[in-house]
Amino acid sequence: MRKFNIRKVLDGLTAVSSAASASSAAQQQQAGNRESEIQETLQSEHFQLCKTVRHGFPYQPSALAFDPVQKILAIGTQTGALRLFGRPGVECYCQHDSGAAVIQLQFLINEGALVSALADDTLHLWNLRQKRPAILHSLKFNRERITFCHLPFQSKWLYVGTERGNIHIVNVESFTLSGYVIMWNKAIELSSKSHPGPIVHISDNPMDEGKLLIGFESGTVVLWDLKSKKADYRYSHDEAIHSVAWHHEGKQFICSHSDGTLTIWNVKSPTKPFQTITPHGKQLKDGKKPEPCKPILKVEYKTTRAGEPFIILSGGLSYDTVGRRPCLTVMHGKSTAVLEMDYSIVDFLTLCETPYPNDFQEPYAVVVLLEKDLVLIDLAQNGYPIFENPYPLTIHESPVTCCEYFADCPVDLIPALYSVGARQKRQGYSKKEWPISGGNWGLITQSYPEIIITGHADGSIKFWDASAITLQVLYKLKTAKVFEKSRNKDDRPNTDIVDEDPYAIQIISWCPESRMLCIAGVSAHVIIYRFSKQEVTTEVIPMLEVRLLYEINDIESPDGEQVPPLPTPGTGSNPQSIVPQSHPSTSSSSSDGLRDNVPCLKVKNSPLKQSPGYQIELVIQLVWVSGEPPQQITSLAVNSAYGLVVFGNCNGIAMVDYLQKTVLLNLGTIELYGSNDPYRREPRSPRKTRQPSGGLCDINEGTMVPEDRCKSPTSAKMSRKLSLPTELKPDLDVKDNSFSRSRSSSVTSIDKESREAISALHFCETFTRKADTSPSPCLWVGTTLGTVLVIVLNLPPGGEQRLLQPVIVSPSGTILRLKGAILRMAFLDTTGSLVSPAHEPWREHNIPEDKDEKDKSKKRRPVSVSPSSSQEISENQYAVICSEKQAKVISLPSQNCIYKQNITETSFVLRGDIVSLSNSICLACFCANGHIMTFSLPSLRPLLDVYYLPLTNMRIARTFCFTNNGQALYLVSPTEIQRLTYSQETCENLQEMLGELFTPVETPEAPNRGFFKGLFGGGAQSLDREELFGESASGKASRSLAQHIPGPGGIEGVKGAASGVVGELARARLALDERGQKLGELEEKTAAMLYSADSFSKHAHEMMLKYKDKKWYQF
């Protein structure tokens, strides 16, 4: 720990960054005397950036695999991601560097390894015996395209089928090709004149490993004898094949076809199928063939000991079922169940009791991978109920529009949210345990509670428990239920700002201590919620409408003619005294026929039943003004101690007392300045807006079209073209530089024609003017032009007086300036500790208070965590202000800038947060150029600057947030949250916190062959594949066919490989473990044999000596 002298710090900063300097020599001297007392403990070595975990549904899934012994599920995606799931809380994310789509996954069952086949014709072997799986080997095919892979249970030889119809064989230990190749022209009939198409299926006969069933796309199936290297049988069908499955006895197999039929074949009857089924075809009279149906994309054939086999298939619906949802069909005996899915089916797998293909399968569940969901169906219960999914895969249930992250919350919050959320759970799930139960949890080294809040396009808000790198939904709030829903498009009023998702959440302001929640939605609406454990029915929903204008002379009719100016409500001639605005009477249009004084959404006028959880305190809506729609809200803040909520947009700012349900402040941004406006502005119509400045612009928007509505400076949140940040935007075209260009130029220059929006709001208790001797409640307002203004709050006493006397609001005249739009403000006390805004502790509001409680509530003072409360009059404070370009630390009450740091010249800061870490605080920033930076406070020394990821789309910008203890997150895809840490301590502990995927499990015993099968040669036939496919038998493969690439397995990977991740030694060791008892017996028998052999040799030696000298005739 060392003390900082301001001059030394500034000298050091100048060396690091030429931009860091103090404003004047006098300020340096003044600050030097006072700031030398603040001790900063954070150093660069406290910071390190790394990804921690990824939550949510794998985006664009493409492949599925399951290890039936380890009970681990793997999902591959179109972007080359690999997600592994074990028991709830055990998850893992890996990424193929190429980013190519995963087309197939194959577990090496119970080996702790996985093979992935990619669309770029590479195979990869993953080692799962380490907490962060790594690639041990890769094999790149050069001349042929991979279409299908098959790895038999307990085999080290992987069959790889290609687009040309050939099959190559890969040794998964060395990841080298065998010289043994099955060529397509050898497999099919010599008389056949056409190519049979790509390989769509490979599997060995469950009862005879020497027989390989090969399915070609055109409809040909071949049973290949591996030893004799020729086809035993060929089965031909007119319709293309999509998949093939064996009956476990190896005497029959089933094929699914493109015309919606299933054909069942007897192995020894290749001329025609034993049976043809059309599961969804209408059976016509006169014995005609049923009408063709949609292709059956996959079929599985699973047997049970006690009853009929299961035939499970996806697809195959008739063509006349237009608009019907995708289905999974389960055929069991004479019953056929059609299970409708919410999304299209990517793949499915039947989970069975045994890993052995030659035993009764005993299926118990089906895993169905959908485009946007993962469903598990219980086959053992009547009606096939689904299992309740314990993974956090519903983040994207409605598209995420904003995120907030809170680490180190009050400890009672998560139980409180969980208890109200538990009542929302659906019923009717399977009563069985979740069957994917592999792996082990990591050690919990982080003990503090963490909560993530996600806002969604449908107006819902979800609270998630994110403690200790896990994620679990706690509670869901539907904000849209307060509004009337239009039944159809014709019924919808013409007041919508957005074409779709009018209830979408844009900003969330939450006070964890008081549990007050405030949201701003896309239709310029604000809702304030209180938390309650009691159910209530609200007879009349409290509502306020606010008319927020830009300028008095700034109203224009749609045809371009000026209309008479309207007075701005709530604005007196003297900016110091602001008259509270009364509730305006709602009228649908003004005298000249323009839409006026109507909100965008209609609040329900019927009683509203509110369940335990978050309950509506007040709904505030901005209204249309003379044909101009209200502008979307760009900033929001709520304070429970003051009972106030404040919000702003590109027109101005409004403050509401939610206890008294009155509007306290309603000002255009320019009127906030009073006579101190530093800009010479001319009245202007909002319809002549050029490229806006400040905030986030719509990426696709280079120029404005005249028909567009007024774009605010935070136009990402407001643009009509974006139709809200809800749609799942594709990644940016790299060539489109309009985003960065327009942002950087417009932010740095003050554009007279750009609107100044409110971009940051912060309630606090601090010094409002230079002459102040004690701190007082106030609101700090930041704008997109880099101005900070201070508004003084004069609050009545607590208790009943608070509800009767008005809150007096007045501008202080204090104006501070920074470069770029203001993003974040915070305050430090004289020791450099963070001054938290005052808050009221949570209490239950729906229970009538007794007299004692009322007296207590009168005496109850708002809690301020700050050590510098009002009695320490002589102490000073420091304001920390972060803008898109720079950060400043300003001493209060003197208002001298004591530290300044230019964060970026060429880019801009997207998110800045003042956060606590290692018992100290720092400023964390995420820049649009992909850099994550942290700065010490108050001296703004650079501590971390790491290039992490470029801003490739609006989703990252909209959802990135930092929180305490070195945690951060963003939405990495429309369905997934990526968490990361910038704390060295967390990085070091991460390995311990991660779960283990591989756990030592004994492989189940092989099925008993039975006496007669053993006697007469029935049962499964084994095959010495080494003898067939090894180099000595088959020779070397062509070098140009595939290239071996060693994987970056790391030290752990090398250890895993050395200990025989997929080696014969590992298999031998497992086999020895399984037969430990037999080995013990064998050992005893061996010892006995050794002993008898030894005694025999002694006897033999004695005999030899006895008869050594005797002649043959003496015997």
Side-chain angles (χ1 to χ4, degrees), residues 321-557:
T321 52
V322 179
R324 189 163 176 185
R325 294 193 294 182
C327 292
L328 186 85
T329 307
V330 181
M331 300 167 73
H332 185 222
K334 291 180 181 176
S335 74
T336 300
V338 180
L339 309 174
E340 287 198 341
M341 301 291 158
D342 291 335
Y343 307 100
S344 55
I345 297 170
V346 176
D347 198 0
F348 73 88
L349 286 173
T350 311
L351 307 190
C352 301
E353 296 290 353
T354 177
Y356 293 94
N358 59 350
D359 195 6
F360 284 99
Q361 298 299 288
E362 302 295 349
Y364 59 89
V366 184
V367 183
V368 190
L369 178 62
L370 305 176
E371 207 171 36
K372 293 182 182 175
D373 202 1
L374 182 74
V375 176
L376 250 83
I377 297 159
D378 185 351
L379 289 179
Q381 266 181 262
N382 287 338
Y384 304 131
I386 63 168
F387 289 88
E388 185 176 7
N389 197 321
Y391 305 136
L393 302 182
T394 57
I395 291 168
H396 64 288
E397 195 173 21
S398 170
V400 176
T401 52
C402 62
C403 278
E404 290 298 335
Y405 189 7
F406 301 86
D408 216 1
C409 303
V411 289
D412 57 346
L413 252 181
I414 288 175
L417 288 164
Y418 181 81
S419 67
V420 294
R423 304 175 194 211
Q424 301 176 328
K425 291 200 170 177
R426 283 174 51 197
Q427 302 300 313
Y429 289 113
S430 167
K431 294 177 174 62
K432 291 188 178 172
E433 289 286 311
W434 181 252
I436 302 163
S437 55
N440 280 323
W441 294 306
L443 295 171
I444 298 171
T445 56
Q446 291 177 355
S447 55
Y448 51 86
E450 296 173 73
I451 291 175
I452 294 169
I453 306 179
T454 53
H456 300 264
D458 64 354
S460 61
I461 288 174
K462 287 182 183 174
F463 290 77
W464 304 82
D465 176 3
S467 310
I469 70 168
T470 61
L471 194 70
Q472 181 187 359
V473 71
L474 291 169
Y475 170 69
K476 181 179 176 180
L477 170 67
K478 294 177 180 175
T479 66
K481 69 179 181 182
V482 71
F483 299 110
E484 299 277 5
K485 285 193 172 65
S486 51
R487 288 185 181 84
N488 54 43
K489 286 190 176 176
D490 304 331
D491 189 28
R492 186 191 278 175
N494 296 322
T495 51
D496 289 2
I497 310 180
V498 288
D499 296 330
E500 54 191 24
D501 301 322
Y503 312 111
I505 309 295
Q506 282 189 296
I507 310 172
I508 297 166
S509 178
W510 188 51
C511 174
E513 288 78 16
S514 66
R515 304 184 190 172
M516 289 299 295
L517 172 70
C518 191
I519 63 101
V522 74
S523 295
H525 62 280
V526 171
I527 310 177
I528 303 149
Y529 289 91
R530 272 189 202 278
F531 185 83
S532 171
K533 293 179 180 178
Q534 306 293 317
E535 185 176 290
V536 294
T537 300
T538 307
E539 295 298 325
V540 180
I541 297 163
M543 186 183 78
L544 279 178
E545 289 176 1
V546 178
R547 189 180 169 93
L548 198 57
L549 297 186
Y550 173 50
E551 281 174 303
I552 294 171
N553 300 327
D554 198 342
I555 302 154
E556 191 182 68
S557 61

Side-chain angles (χ1 to χ4, degrees), residues 624-683:
W624 285 65
V625 178
S626 301
E628 276 298 322
Q631 294 306 301
Q632 291 173 0
I633 290 156
T634 54
S635 56
L636 174 72
V638 66
N639 187 287
S640 59
Y642 306 157
L644 303 178
V645 66
V646 62
F647 55 93
N649 63 10
C650 66
N651 282 345
I653 187 171
M655 190 188 295
V656 169
D657 179 340
Y658 65 76
L659 297 176
Q660 295 186 22
K661 315 285 189 282
T662 55
V663 180
L664 300 174
L665 179 71
N666 179 2
L667 279 181
T669 318
I670 293 169
E671 291 153 335
L672 270 175
Y673 288 93
S675 57
N676 298 325
D677 189 0
Y679 313 118
R680 291 172 53 202
R681 304 183 226 220
E682 296 163 18

Side-chain angles (χ1 to χ4, degrees), residues 43-55:
Q43 302 297 328
S44 296
E45 53 265 27
H46 289 113
F47 294 88
Q48 184 184 339
L49 195 71
C50 71
K51 292 179 182 178
T52 52
V53 282
R54 184 174 291 203
H55 302 297

Side-chain angles (χ1 to χ4, degrees), residues 748-769:
T748 51
S749 62
I750 295 163
D751 183 350
K752 283 183 185 175
E753 286 201 31
S754 72
R755 287 226 185 149
E756 184 175 17
I758 308 299
S759 58
L761 296 162
H762 189 85
F763 284 107
C764 55
E765 199 166 317
T766 187
F767 302 92
T768 54
R769 301 179 181 89

Side-chain angles (χ1 to χ4, degrees), residues 896-1114:
N896 291 327
C897 174
I898 56 168
Y899 297 103
K900 184 172 88 171
Q901 175 70 261
N902 285 352
I903 299 167
T904 175
E905 291 292 343
T906 54
S907 184
F908 55 96
V909 179
L910 283 164
R911 177 83 183 206
D913 286 294
I914 291 97
V915 291
S916 63
L917 175 72
S918 304
N919 299 317
S920 189
I921 52 165
C922 65
L923 168 65
C925 299
F926 172 53
C927 278
N929 61 11
H931 283 255
I932 287 177
M933 295 180 271
T934 61
F935 302 91
S936 71
L937 287 175
S939 68
L940 295 174
R941 279 179 304 122
L943 296 170
L944 174 79
D945 185 352
V946 177
Y947 175 75
Y948 177 67
L949 86 162
L951 178 65
T952 48
N953 55 36
M954 288 294 299
R955 186 181 55 250
I956 297 170
R958 205 172 55 239
T959 56
F960 200 103
C961 45
F962 297 96
T963 187
N964 297 330
N965 298 334
Q967 307 290 346
L969 68 78
Y970 62 97
L971 210 67
V972 68
S973 75
T975 63
E976 296 164 291
I977 285 173
Q978 177 67 56
R979 286 165 72 177
L980 54 144
T981 183
Y982 48 96
S983 155
Q984 168 70 33
E985 186 185 359
T986 307
C987 286
E988 285 175 357
N989 293 334
L990 184 61
Q991 190 69 14
E992 287 179 21
M993 292 167 69
L994 293 172
E996 288 186 77
L997 288 165
F998 180 79
T999 48
V1001 181
E1002 281 196 12
T1003 304
E1005 277 195 25
N1008 193 350
R1009 290 175 68 184
F1011 175 73
F1012 288 105
K1013 282 187 177 178
L1015 192 64
F1016 299 113
Q1021 300 293 313
S1022 60
L1023 170 77
D1024 188 347
R1025 295 187 178 94
E1026 184 70 48
E1027 195 181 305
L1028 276 178
F1029 307 143
E1031 198 175 304
S1032 57
S1034 62
K1036 287 188 177 180
S1038 166
R1039 283 189 180 180
S1040 59
L1041 184 63
Q1043 174 191 356
H1044 176 261
I1045 305 157
I1051 301 299
E1052 270 194 274
V1054 172
K1055 281 182 193 167
S1059 64
V1061 163
V1062 292
E1064 288 291 297
L1065 283 172
R1067 193 170 292 124
R1069 195 184 309 119
L1070 279 171
L1072 288 173
D1073 291 344
E1074 289 162 23
R1075 301 178 184 85
Q1077 196 176 343
K1078 291 177 184 175
L1079 276 176
E1081 293 167 12
L1082 190 65
E1083 220 168 348
E1084 288 168 16
K1085 286 178 183 176
T1086 308
M1089 282 176 71
L1090 280 170
Y1091 175 74
S1092 60
D1094 191 46
S1095 61
F1096 177 77
S1097 70
K1098 279 181 184 175
H1099 285 302
H1101 188 65
E1102 286 167 16
M1103 290 284 286
M1104 186 262 299
L1105 291 173
K1106 186 177 178 183
Y1107 297 108
K1108 186 175 70 167
D1109 298 319
K1110 290 190 177 182
K1111 306 291 182 193
W1112 63 270
Y1113 54 84
Q1114 290 175 313

